[in-house]
Amino acid sequence: FDQLSVIDNVRIPLLRAGGGRVSPWRWFWAELEHDHSVNQVAHQDLEQVGMDKQPEKLSGNLSHGEQRQLEMVMTLATSPRCLLLDEPMAGMSSEESIRMVRLIQTLKQDHAILLVEHDMNAVFDLADTISVLVEGRVIARGSPDEIRANEAVQRAYLGEQ
């Protein structure tokens, strides 16, 4: 929500119905910005991804990479067990990609992650098992080392060495 602050963007998914981390009825009875429990959890979530320095900044004024990080915080606010990430590094600068890779590495400890990504360096840094598709067909499956050594993958994605 571009016209809302970073912290407001995190408060909203905290109040999701059906098992949110904060009761949705709190929204009905109190203004969110004055609700200590909502704010405490929102600030913790922002801190987890390193976005706690400017909680009042309008999300529309964030860089592309920061907006992607905010999307991740909003997702994490719903307490998912599994993350389905579709090209989380797309359009990011190398510095932003490095920060996102570090974040996803920390999330691997507590979440199952299915990652669709074309940044092969990020894939090799993050994945335990890789499935490589070409035109919708799996051409290889294995560990990062097995995929690096696979000739069909090298031809398709990594270039001949």
Side-chain angles (χ1 to χ4, degrees), residues 1-20:
F1 304 101
D2 287 348
Q3 297 303 311
L4 295 180
S5 68
V6 168
I7 193 80
D8 284 339
N9 271 275
V10 180
R11 288 176 179 136
I12 292 168
L14 282 172
L15 298 173
R16 72 179 173 85

Side-chain angles (χ1 to χ4, degrees), residues 2 59-72:
D2 287 348
S59 63
N61 294 336
L62 297 173
S63 71
H64 176 73
E66 290 171 326
Q67 289 180 359
R68 298 302 300 260
Q69 284 181 287
L70 179 56
E71 291 170 3
M72 188 72 79

Side-chain angles (χ1 to χ4, degrees), residues 45 47 59 68 74 84 87 90 96 99 105 107-108 114 124 129 143 153 161:
D45 288 351
E47 186 175 1
S59 63
R68 298 302 300 260
M74 293 171 70
L84 308 175
E87 298 190 41
E96 291 171 330
R99 279 198 309 268
Q105 285 171 330
L107 296 174
K108 281 177 58 173
L114 174 64
F124 289 138
T129 303
S143 70
V153 172
Q161 304 259 334

Side-chain angles (χ1 to χ4, degrees), residues 13 28 59 83 90 100 104 122 147 156:
F28 181 78
S59 63
L83 296 171
M100 184 62 79
I104 295 170
I147 297 301

